[in-house]
Structures are given as structure tokens and as C-alpha cells.
């Protein structure tokens, strides 16, 4: 994942504002986007409109709702509670969202509140420090509803779904033999739910219908996105690694889906050094031919630059997680290790692949940059700090398979869909109309063949 965190360096004009604002002891840092607001801005952040810590009491005190105290971000949570990063209300650990303002719990803050100071929780929330500014729907170009009885696009989509059943998408497809060619999709779906999430997930579903992957590795799936997927036509063709009970325990997570005719065991191993709840997800498969295949996915620790030092890049943690993953996979005969590695070769060094492992993009696309997060080519990200990184990767070790191809997908804007983004330029807010893509990342599609 790029997690909004690696893009979270504010523009220079915001940094200067923060610097000047910091000279005033009465200024306050937004717990959501880290912008330092002047004392006169009491109720909400100038940039992201999140409630201030003193929104409940302009005089700087605290207030109580149902017995829970909401106060400054530095207030200590009692055992069994987690503080909301937006309004600081102390919620019971079982709550996935804040009872007061509805903000989703920072990843795993519900379970770490007894150990972490609330001020440290921003490091566990990859939306902290986002440079995305408040959005508004573009009413003049509002797309048609998702499904209507006379919508020709819906009829075409339904016809295509029926056709795909004959091509192997149906869960009732013949499972008597192994396919000789396998397609594996890895996609960070972007957990940002306020930016056309239903339309974006519909577009992602159309990519699945178009490419018919045999196995899917998702990153940044939220409970709401999980529900959207469940209602999609392609869902029933796959077995999912994440149960409904598991969904209720996570703010966002990785997820694997398979329609391979194989005996499959899904499992996951949390990383010992992660403060963001990251883990390695595994699908151990025994194919009907007797061959074994392990497909693993992960979302390595995200860079999270934020005040006061802007240096929380978590490079050492990321390197340890990569090595830990490869060590767990080293004894398997055939392995595909996919996901959002958040890898920065300049910062993290070369990916620590042992002998016998290959990076699919480097092998099949030598000389091509492979940037899956690109603020220049992905026009949805226009106005962000320039950033071009090969964050998403496929690492492979094979004895019984070979790589045929690897390609990026999801690079096209969704037809007729736009959103407004506001950006401060020379002390004035400028409204930009931008296209919408399925995600802030591009997806990767790997094709392999059995030997």
C-alpha cells in the first residue's frame, strides 16, 4: 500500500504554514491530517474539516457522553477503551467506529489502547497525514445509478457474466483437473471510502470479469468494501480466506480469494514487529496433479512521515517483515509472494530475495519502471506531491511452473465519473475536477504455466 502515508508530505506552502503556526503555543495539530491550525480555528481543521479535540468545549475543557470523557488527544484511555483519532471520544474496545462522530477506529487501536498512548495512535492510522483535501461530488457529471432495469450497460454486464460462467468463472466449473495456466491478481483496493467507493469497487469487479483471475490477493479491504464485494456477481465463484467473524475484528485487512480446483488451507501470521497490525496471509494448496503451490500476500509496514520529525519511514521494520516472510516460505516447492510491499529501493535497499527467487516484473519487463503508484499517470492523484514508486510486486520461486507474463491493470479512469478536490495555491483554495480510477494503486496480473 502506498497508504496515503507515503504521500503524506504536505506541500511546501502547508509546511510553511505549519512552521509559522507552531510559533503560537495555542495552535493545535489536527489528529487526522496533522495540519497545525491557528487558535482561532476552534471547532474543526481548516484542511480536512475533522473535529478539533476541543470541539466539545471551546474553552478547552471536556465533556461526557454516556459516561465517556472526550478531551484532548493526549488524554489517557482506560483499560478496555480506545480514543477516537478525530474527536478523542473514549470508545469501548468492541466498537469498530466512534460512537460520537462515526470515525472508524485506527487499525488495531481498539486492541492496543491499553499499551499505547493516544498520541501515538496516529502512527497506526495510515490516513494520518493525508494530503487529500475535502472532496465534493461533481453534480454536473453525476453518473447514472449502478443498476436500473433499462440500463443497457447493466444488461451488457449481465450478459458478460453469463458468458464468463462458460469460461470458468462459475463456482460450478469442472474441478477434475488442474488448469495449465494460472492468473493471479494482486490489488491494493484503497480503503478510502469517501471517494466513490461503490463505483470504484464496481470498476474493480469489471476488471475481474475481464481478466478472470484464478486467484486474487487484495490489500486494504475494509468491512464495508468486503460487503460490497459480497454483493458482486463474481464473488460466488471464489472461496474467501476471510470469514464474516474476522471482518468484524479489523479496520482493514488483506484477503485472498481462490477458484482453483485445489485442496486449500488459508492461514495468517502476524508480524512480530508491526504496530500497524500487518501480517503474512498464506494459501497452501495441493493441486489435483499432486503439485503444491503456496500463494502469499502481505501489506508491509507503511511509511508514515508526520510531525514533529517527519522521519517515521519504518524502513527497518519493513525489511525485517520481508525477511520474515521469505524465511517462512523458503521450504515450499512453488511460491508466489504478492502484495503491497511499500518498498522503496533507495530507502530499503534491494528486496532481500534468497537464491532461487525472482522478481516477476524485473524478469519479464526489464527496463520498465513498474510504478504501481504514480501521481503523474494516475490523474486521480493530481495535486499530490510527486511520487512514483513500484510498491506492488510479485516474487516467485518455482520448480513446477514458469512465468508467462506480468502486467498492470486498472490504469483507465472510470467513464463519466469525476470528483472535486480543493487545493490551496498562493493562499487561495482552487477547486480541481479530477477523474476517478478504481484505486490509487494499479493492480498487477501475473500469468504462470505449469511445466
Amino acid at each position: 500500500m502506498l497508504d496515503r502515508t507515503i504521500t503524506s508530505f504536505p506541500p511546501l506552502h502547508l509546511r510553511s504554514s505549519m512552521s509559522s503556526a507552531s510559533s503560537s503555543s495555542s495552535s493545535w495539530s489536527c489528529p487526522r491530517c496533522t495540519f497545525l491550525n491557528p487558535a482561532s480555528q476552534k471547532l474543526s481543521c481548516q484542511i480536512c474539516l475533522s473535529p478539533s479535540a476541543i470541539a466539545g468545549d471551546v474553552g478547552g475543557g471536556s465533556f461526557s457522553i454516556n459516561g465517556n470523557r472526550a478531551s484532548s488527544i493526549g488524554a489517557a484511555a482506560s483499560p478496555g477503551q480506545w480514543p477516537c483519532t478525530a474527536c478523542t471520544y473514549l470508545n469501548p474496545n468492541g466498537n469498530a467506529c466512534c460512537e460520537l462522530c462515526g470515525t472508524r477506529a485506527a487499525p488495531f487501536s481498539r486492541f492496543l489502547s491499553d499499551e499505547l498512548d493516544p498520541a501515538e495512535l496516529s502512527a497506526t492510522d495510515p490516513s494520518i497525514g493525508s494530503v487529500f483535501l475535502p472532496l465534493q461530488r461533481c453534480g454536473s457529471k453525476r453518473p447514472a445509478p449502478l443498476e436500473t432495469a433499462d440500463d443497457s450497460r447493466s444488461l451488457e454486464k449481465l450478459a458478460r457474466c453469463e458468458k464468463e460462467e462458460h469460461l470458468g468463472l462459475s463456482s460450478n466449473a469442472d474441478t477434475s483437473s488442474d488448469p495449465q495456466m494460472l492468473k493471479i491478481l494482486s490489488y491494493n483496493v484503497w480503503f478510502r471510502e469517501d471517494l466513490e467507493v461503490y463505483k470504484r469497487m464496481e470498476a474493480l469487479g469489471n476488471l475481474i470479469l475481464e481478466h478472470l483471475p484464478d486467484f486474487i490477493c487484495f490489500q486494504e479491504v475494509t468491512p464495508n468494501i468486503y460487503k460490497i464485494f459480497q454483493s458482486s456477481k463474481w464473488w460466488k465463484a471464489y472461496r474467501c480466506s476471510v470469514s464474516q467473524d474476522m471482518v468484524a475484528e479489523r479496520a482493514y485487512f488483506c484477503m485472498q480469494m481462490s477458484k482453483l480446483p485445489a485442496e486449500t488451507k488459508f492461514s495468517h501470521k502476524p508480524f512480530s514487529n508491526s504496530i500497524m497490525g500487518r501480517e503474512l496471509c498464506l494459501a497452501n494448496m495441493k493441486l489435483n496433479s499432486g503439485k503444491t503451490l503456496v500463494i502469499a500476500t502481505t501489506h508491509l509496514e507503511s511509511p508514515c512521515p508526520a510531525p514533529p520529525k517527519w522521519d517515521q519511514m519504518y524502513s527497518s521494520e519493513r525489511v525485517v517483515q520481508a525477511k520474515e516472510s521469505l524465511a517462512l516460505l523458503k521450504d515450499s516447492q512453488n511460491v508466489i509472494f504478492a502484495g503491497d510491499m511499500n518498498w522503496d529501493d533507495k530507502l530499503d535497499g534491494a528486496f532481500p530475495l534468497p537464491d532461487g527467487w525472482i522478481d516477476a516484473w524485473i524478469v519479464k519487463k526489464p527496463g520498465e519502471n513498474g510504478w504501481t503508484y504514480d501521481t503523474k499517470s494516475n490523474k486521480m492523484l493530481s495535486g499530490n506531491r510527486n511520487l512514483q514508486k513500484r510498491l506492488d510486486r510479485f516474487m516467485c520461486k518455482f520448480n513446477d511452473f514458469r512465468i508467462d507474463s506480468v502486467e498492470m491493470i486498472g490504469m483507465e479512469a472510470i467513464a463519466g465519473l469525476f470528483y472535486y478536490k480543493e487545493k490551496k495555491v498562493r493562499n487561495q483554495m482552487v477547486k480541481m475536477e479530477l477523474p476517478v480510477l478504481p484505486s490509487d494503486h494499479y493492480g498487477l496480473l501475473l500469468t504462470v504455466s505449469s511445466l
Side-chain angles (χ1 to χ4, degrees):
M1 143 185 200
L2 170 99
D3 265 10
R4 287 32 49 207
T5 51
I6 200 169
T7 60
S8 61
F9 290 110
L12 289 177
H13 67 274
L14 289 188
R15 293 194 215 179
S16 60
S17 298
M18 296 172 75
S19 176
S20 60
S22 65
S23 62
S24 173
S25 60
S26 58
S27 63
W28 57 276
S29 175
C30 174
R32 194 71 180 165
C33 72
T34 76
F35 180 72
L36 285 181
N37 292 269
S40 59
Q41 184 75 17
K42 296 180 181 297
L43 298 182
S44 62
C45 176
Q46 282 184 345
I47 300 301
C48 70
L49 304 184
S50 293
S52 72
I54 59 174
D57 186 343
V58 175
S62 62
F63 62 99
S64 178
I65 296 180
N66 295 333
N68 283 15
R69 179 176 179 271
S71 60
S72 67
I73 195 67
S78 301
Q81 295 178 316
W82 59 271
C84 175
T85 56
C87 71
T88 76
Y89 179 66
L90 299 181
N91 294 270
N93 272 355
N95 287 15
C97 297
C98 178
E99 290 180 356
L100 180 57
C101 69
T103 298
R104 187 176 299 280
F108 297 92
S109 64
R110 291 180 284 153
F111 311 104
L112 298 177
S113 58
D114 297 346
E115 304 173 15
L116 292 180
D117 183 89
E120 296 174 343
L121 288 176
S122 61
T124 70
D125 187 349
S127 64
I128 300 295
S130 171
V131 296
F132 270 96
L133 302 180
L135 306 178
Q136 293 179 328
R137 283 293 305 271
C138 181
S140 62
K141 297 188 179 181
R142 185 180 180 89
L146 279 176
E147 298 285 350
T148 58
D150 58 350
D151 189 340
S152 60
R153 289 180 301 168
S154 298
L155 295 176
E156 291 174 2
K157 179 181 175 183
L158 179 60
R160 182 170 58 187
C161 289
E162 293 173 348
K163 178 181 179 181
E164 302 303 355
E165 290 185 0
H166 299 288
L167 296 176
L169 183 59
S170 171
S171 57
N172 298 320
D174 180 22
T175 59
S176 60
S177 62
D178 299 333
Q180 294 301 301
M181 184 181 72
L182 303 178
K183 290 184 178 181
I184 301 91
L185 174 65
S186 181
Y187 220 129
N188 180 318
V189 302
W190 198 18
F191 56 22
R192 183 164 181 180
E193 295 182 350
D194 63 323
L195 204 166
E196 300 290 359
V197 65
Y198 290 95
K199 283 290 189 180
R200 290 195 296 105
M201 295 308 106
E202 181 190 26
L204 197 154
N206 288 338
L207 290 171
I208 292 174
L209 294 174
E210 177 183 353
H211 295 283
L212 301 175
D214 299 284
F215 197 97
I216 304 172
C217 297
F218 284 135
Q219 303 88 43
E220 282 195 38
V221 179
T222 66
N224 189 38
I225 290 175
Y226 182 89
K227 290 180 182 178
I228 296 172
F229 284 164
Q230 279 185 311
S231 64
S232 302
K233 293 183 180 298
W234 53 267
W235 174 269
K236 291 183 179 180
Y238 293 85
R239 299 185 300 279
C240 182
S241 65
V242 177
S243 68
Q244 192 70 50
D245 290 340
M246 293 171 65
V247 170
E249 299 174 355
R250 308 289 184 90
Y252 68 91
F253 45 87
C254 292
M255 185 169 78
Q256 294 178 296
M257 307 199 72
S258 174
K259 66 182 183 72
L260 288 171
E263 178 184 334
T264 305
K265 179 181 178 182
F266 293 111
S267 61
H268 62 97
K269 184 184 184 306
F271 293 126
S272 58
N273 68 341
S274 177
I275 68 167
M276 301 178 183
R278 303 299 166 81
E279 62 187 1
L280 180 68
C281 299
L282 300 154
N284 287 272
M285 290 176 283
K286 184 176 181 180
L287 304 176
N288 292 336
S289 61
K291 297 175 182 177
T292 59
L293 175 63
V294 176
I295 301 181
T297 193
T298 193
H299 185 188
L300 298 184
E301 212 80 351
S302 302
C304 188
K309 296 183 178 180
W310 300 93
D311 61 354
Q312 300 101 300
M313 302 305 289
Y314 297 109
S315 177
S316 59
E317 289 83 358
R318 198 158 44 248
V319 172
V320 168
Q321 291 167 7
K323 291 180 178 178
E324 186 176 336
S325 299
L326 294 167
L328 285 169
L329 299 168
K330 66 181 178 63
D331 294 329
S332 301
Q333 289 294 304
N334 302 288
V335 185
I336 297 172
F337 181 27
D340 179 359
M341 307 298 178
N342 273 316
W343 204 261
D344 185 331
D345 293 286
K346 293 182 179 179
L347 181 66
D348 305 332
F351 203 89
L353 290 178
D355 292 341
W357 286 78
I358 56 176
D359 184 319
W361 189 270
I362 291 177
V363 170
K364 304 303 293 187
K365 303 278 189 178
E368 297 189 26
N369 57 59
W371 292 328
T372 55
Y373 191 96
D374 190 343
T375 58
K376 291 186 177 181
S377 67
N378 188 337
K379 300 303 181 184
M380 182 172 66
L381 305 179
S382 296
N384 283 19
R385 184 179 75 92
N386 289 340
L387 193 68
Q388 297 171 305
K389 297 290 182 182
R390 192 165 72 93
L391 301 181
D392 306 83
R393 307 188 181 197
F394 273 107
M395 312 296 185
C396 304
K397 186 187 78 166
F398 289 142
N399 285 288
D400 303 304
F401 297 87
R402 70 167 184 267
I403 298 175
D404 292 334
S405 65
V406 62
E407 60 179 308
M408 278 189 224
I409 65 172
M411 303 177 72
E412 300 296 327
I414 302 171
L417 191 60
F418 302 85
Y419 79 99
Y420 282 132
K421 175 180 176 180
E422 293 181 336
K423 182 179 179 181
K424 196 171 185 179
V425 179
R426 297 193 181 102
N427 296 320
Q428 290 188 347
M429 297 304 296
V430 176
K431 187 174 290 187
M432 306 167 65
E433 183 182 274
L434 301 174
V436 178
L437 277 73
S439 175
D440 59 342
H441 286 234
Y442 299 140
L444 285 180
L445 185 67
L446 178 75
T447 304
V448 302
S449 293
S450 179
L451 298 178

